[in-house]
């Protein structure tokens, strides 16, 4: 049973045959009014576009980026969406917090020192990632037209760690010849390799390697063909192709070749680096997709905990929050909203957020950079990532920087594992450490109507997140999202 007030202020009760006894529809508060001209219209605190009766086409739990992208895309397709979050802010685990909220989250009652400036000047990402300028996330942003709500700025540089020093990543044949990462003869080999990658086209046999396409040879075979040494292989695979470990060496070269081409194309588009980042922090991304969903009739409820996912005959049909129930043929969310048996832990991520008052050494005083420490350089299995943004991106007070060091944990001392990245930062004003599980769904969701996103990994880019969005969209809708759109942002967006 549910209720609403009609235009005369009288309470009306609605009955639904699917509603459990003693419960009401999870529908928000809404009522009808007359304006000054006598027109009757619906006022609804969350969604003013349509009556809400507790029945939806999709229920989405959590306002992380993945969930907000899905809600935006579904609403554009005409689906009636309920989007609910236990927190009072958008972004869930991937939110951007001001300085006061950051200290409350990690330090309890301890106040931020006045030397850091005003709290409102800070927007600190809990899960920092950069956006590949011509990658899949940009295509999704353009597909949904969310770029109208955001403004982007290019990242100043992309660097790689070698032998205790930070070096710029070369991505073009001309940069290869001037790079300090390689000796004279290795530069010529690397230049030839880049020229091959740039020219390679699966539809043009003249560009093949000894008559073979890249899906027929391993990446190790391609490296060996051009005589690249282990050091060059390391920064190509990890800093350009963004592979997180060395398992890719034995896999078909096609994926890595495409990744290198994307890196180079994105770099050519913006010049300084292949990455872009939204002004005011990553929190604007889920908010942009949430706004898109709301415009198309989506219902949003923050500060509402989901107590139970309701099942019948092994399939989810709704959720319960307090004594209120919402019904939908599918339930979507991040792993924290589902029982543990529906996901498995594949590892842990350590993220250390550091506040600085200076740029990182050996980066030409860049206001923003990405630094990748290949695993082999520090005798690890997984890379270490360093993201740096600053006041130039409207995320810190004047003259201040935010550096986040992350990696997938390999020992019982995750905090100690980011030490090589922390050492690059110099003096740290404040540091906040967070360790979280990496969870992935054990099933695609089609059998039980529970569609779960993956936890965010340690990488400093959104390519893996975009892959998860595309996978979820296909599982939910039964069709692939059209990604043929150009990844070219308008000048006004950057």
């Amino acid at each position: 049973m549910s209720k609403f007030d009609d235009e005369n202020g009288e309470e009306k009760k609605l009955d639904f045959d699917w509603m459990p006894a003693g419960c009401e529809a999870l529908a928000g508060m809404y009522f009808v009014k007359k304006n000054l001209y006598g027109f009757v219209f619906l006022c609804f605190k969350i969604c003013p576009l349509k009556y809400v009766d507790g029945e939806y086409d999709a229920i989405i739990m959590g306002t992380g980026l993945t969930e907000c992208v899905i809600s935006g895309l579904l609403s554009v397709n005409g689906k009636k969406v309920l989007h609910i979050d236990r927190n009072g802010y958008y972004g869930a685990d991937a939110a951007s917090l001001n300085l006061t909220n950051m200290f409350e989250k990690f330090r309890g009652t301890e106040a931020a020192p006045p030397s850091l400036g005003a709290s409102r000047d800070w927007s600190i990402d809990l899960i920092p990632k950069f956006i590949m300028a011509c990658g899949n996330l940009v295509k999704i942003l353009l597909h949904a037209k969310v770029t109208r709500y955001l403004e982007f700025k290019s990242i100043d540089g992309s660097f790689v760690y070698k032998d205790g020093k930070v070096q710029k990543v070369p991505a073009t044949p001309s940069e290869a010849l001037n790079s300090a990462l390689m000796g004279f003869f290795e530069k010529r080999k690397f230049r030839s390799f880049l020229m091959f990658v740039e020219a390679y086209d699966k539809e043009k046999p003249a560009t093949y390697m000894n008559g073979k396409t890249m899906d027929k040879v391993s990446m190790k075979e391609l490296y060996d063909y051009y005589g690249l040494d282990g050091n060059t292989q390391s920064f190509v695979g990890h800093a350009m192709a963004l592979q997180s470990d060395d398992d890719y060496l034995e896999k078909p070269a096609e994926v890595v070749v495409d990744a290198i081409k994307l890196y180079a194309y994105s770099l050519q588009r913006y010049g300084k680096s292949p990455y872009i980042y939204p002004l005011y922090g990553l929190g604007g991304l889920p908010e942009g997709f949430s706004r898109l969903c709301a415009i198309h009739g989506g219902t949003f409820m923050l500060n509402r905990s989901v107590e139970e996912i309701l099942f019948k005959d092994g399939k989810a049909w709704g959720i319960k929050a307090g004594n209120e129930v919402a019904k939908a043929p599918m339930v979507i969310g991040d792993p924290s909203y589902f029982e543990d048996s529906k996901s498995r832990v594949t590892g842990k991520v350590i993220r250390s957020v550091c506040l600085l008052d200076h740029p990182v050494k050996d980066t030409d005083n860049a206001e923003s950079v990405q630094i990748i420490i290949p695993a082999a350089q520090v005798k690890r299995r997984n890379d270490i990532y360093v993201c740096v943004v600053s006041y130039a991106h409207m995320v810190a007070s004047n003259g201040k920087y935010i550096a986040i060091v992350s990696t997938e944990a390999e020992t019982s001392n995750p905090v100690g594992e980011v030490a090589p990245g922390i050492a690059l930062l110099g003096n740290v004003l404040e540091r906040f450490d967070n360790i979280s599980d990496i969870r992935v769904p054990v099933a695609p969701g089609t059998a039980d109507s529970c569609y779960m996103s993956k936890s965010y990994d340690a990488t400093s880019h959104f390519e893996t997140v975009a892959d998860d969005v595309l996978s979820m969209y296909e599982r939910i809708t039964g069709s692939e999202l059209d990604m043929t759109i150009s990844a070219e942002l308008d000048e006004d967006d950057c």
Side-chain angles (χ1 to χ4, degrees), residues 224-444:
D224 290 345
Y225 181 81
Y226 283 93
L228 300 184
D229 64 22
N231 164 66
T232 305
Q233 294 180 26
S234 181
F235 79 74
V236 168
H238 296 266
M240 295 180 68
L242 304 179
Q243 302 298 303
S244 60
D245 54 44
D246 286 335
D247 291 347
Y248 79 94
L249 289 170
E250 303 302 328
K251 297 177 181 178
E254 186 172 44
V255 172
V256 173
V257 167
D258 287 344
I260 296 170
K261 290 167 79 76
L262 173 62
Y263 184 100
Y265 176 47
S266 298
L267 179 65
Q268 292 169 10
R269 179 73 175 86
Y270 295 104
K272 294 180 180 180
S273 84
Y275 301 106
I276 57 176
Y277 180 86
L279 295 184
Y280 306 103
L282 295 176
L285 293 175
E287 288 177 9
F289 280 99
S290 297
R291 183 176 178 182
L292 175 71
C293 180
I295 288 173
H296 287 83
T299 300
F300 281 80
M301 296 184 183
L302 301 181
N303 276 322
R304 296 300 301 269
S305 294
V306 176
E307 296 176 355
E308 183 182 357
I309 299 175
L310 304 173
F311 289 86
K312 183 178 181 180
D313 300 327
K315 283 184 173 287
W317 67 266
I319 62 169
K320 185 178 181 183
N323 72 328
E324 294 180 297
V325 173
K327 180 183 180 182
M330 64 180 73
V331 177
I332 302 161
D334 70 55
S336 70
Y337 285 89
F338 295 91
E339 59 184 34
D340 289 347
S341 63
K342 291 192 176 296
S343 63
R344 60 186 175 89
V345 177
T346 61
K348 292 183 180 293
V349 174
I350 167 68
R351 298 182 179 90
S352 294
V353 179
C354 301
L355 309 186
L356 315 175
D357 59 3
H358 58 270
V360 176
K361 184 181 177 182
D362 297 327
T363 61
D364 296 328
N365 294 320
E367 295 170 335
S368 56
V369 296
Q370 175 187 253
I371 305 170
I372 293 181
I373 304 176
Q377 286 288 320
V378 285
K379 297 180 173 57
R380 289 175 49 81
R381 296 191 305 274
N382 295 280
D383 295 347
I384 299 174
Y385 303 89
V386 181
C387 290
V388 181
V389 288
S390 69
Y391 61 94
H393 297 84
M394 311 296 184
V395 295
S397 61
N398 190 39
K400 299 297 191 294
Y401 297 73
I402 304 170
I404 306 95
V405 184
S406 60
T407 190
E408 185 167 346
E410 300 175 1
T411 71
S412 59
N413 180 27
V415 173
E417 296 183 47
V418 294
I422 298 294
L424 300 177
L425 304 182
N427 182 54
V428 174
L429 301 178
E430 299 289 344
R431 176 175 172 177
F432 309 89
D433 296 316
N434 184 49
I435 302 169
S436 58
D437 288 337
I438 304 173
R439 284 190 169 270
V440 298
V442 297

Side-chain angles (χ1 to χ4, degrees), residues 451-479:
Y451 299 91
M452 187 188 307
S453 62
K454 296 179 180 178
S455 300
Y456 298 106
D457 60 21
T459 59
S460 57
H461 54 82
F462 273 111
E463 291 306 288
T464 53
V465 177
D467 290 343
D468 191 31
V469 168
L470 295 176
S471 173
M472 288 187 68
Y473 183 86
E474 184 175 0
R475 300 198 312 268
I476 291 167
T477 66
S479 60

Side-chain angles (χ1 to χ4, degrees), residues 116-318:
L116 292 177
S119 174
R120 64 179 179 274
D121 291 338
W122 294 82
S123 182
I124 304 170
D125 300 325
L126 295 180
I127 299 182
K129 290 181 183 288
F130 291 150
I131 302 170
M132 184 66 74
C134 297
N136 281 338
L137 181 58
V138 170
K139 289 185 177 183
I140 294 170
L141 289 166
L142 290 168
H143 179 95
K145 296 181 173 59
V146 172
T147 51
R148 74 185 76 174
Y149 310 130
L150 301 166
E151 185 177 354
F152 296 91
K153 182 179 175 66
S154 61
I155 297 301
D156 287 342
S158 178
F159 295 79
V160 65
Y161 176 90
K162 181 200 172 189
D163 298 334
K165 291 192 65 177
V166 172
Q167 307 275 3
K168 188 177 187 305
V169 178
T172 65
S174 60
E175 284 189 347
L177 294 177
N178 296 315
S179 175
L181 281 169
M182 299 163 285
F184 177 76
F185 292 108
E186 186 68 13
K187 288 179 180 179
R188 295 176 64 86
K189 295 175 185 177
F190 180 55
R191 181 176 181 273
S192 297
F193 169 80
L194 284 182
M195 291 176 68
F196 164 78
V197 169
E198 186 177 4
Y200 175 75
D201 186 336
K202 195 172 184 178
E203 304 300 321
K204 297 179 180 179
T207 66
Y208 295 175
M209 187 192 86
N210 284 344
K212 295 182 179 179
T213 55
M214 292 298 95
D215 58 338
K216 303 299 182 185
V217 298
S218 70
M219 197 62 210
K220 185 178 185 304
E221 290 175 309
L222 181 59
Y223 283 148
D224 290 345
Y225 181 81
Y226 283 93
L228 300 184
D229 64 22
N231 164 66
T232 305
Q233 294 180 26
S234 181
F235 79 74
V236 168
H238 296 266
M240 295 180 68
L242 304 179
Q243 302 298 303
S244 60
D245 54 44
D246 286 335
D247 291 347
Y248 79 94
L249 289 170
E250 303 302 328
K251 297 177 181 178
E254 186 172 44
V255 172
V256 173
V257 167
D258 287 344
I260 296 170
K261 290 167 79 76
L262 173 62
Y263 184 100
Y265 176 47
S266 298
L267 179 65
Q268 292 169 10
R269 179 73 175 86
Y270 295 104
K272 294 180 180 180
S273 84
Y275 301 106
I276 57 176
Y277 180 86
L279 295 184
Y280 306 103
L282 295 176
L285 293 175
E287 288 177 9
F289 280 99
S290 297
R291 183 176 178 182
L292 175 71
C293 180
I295 288 173
H296 287 83
T299 300
F300 281 80
M301 296 184 183
L302 301 181
N303 276 322
R304 296 300 301 269
S305 294
V306 176
E307 296 176 355
E308 183 182 357
I309 299 175
L310 304 173
F311 289 86
K312 183 178 181 180
D313 300 327
K315 283 184 173 287
W317 67 266

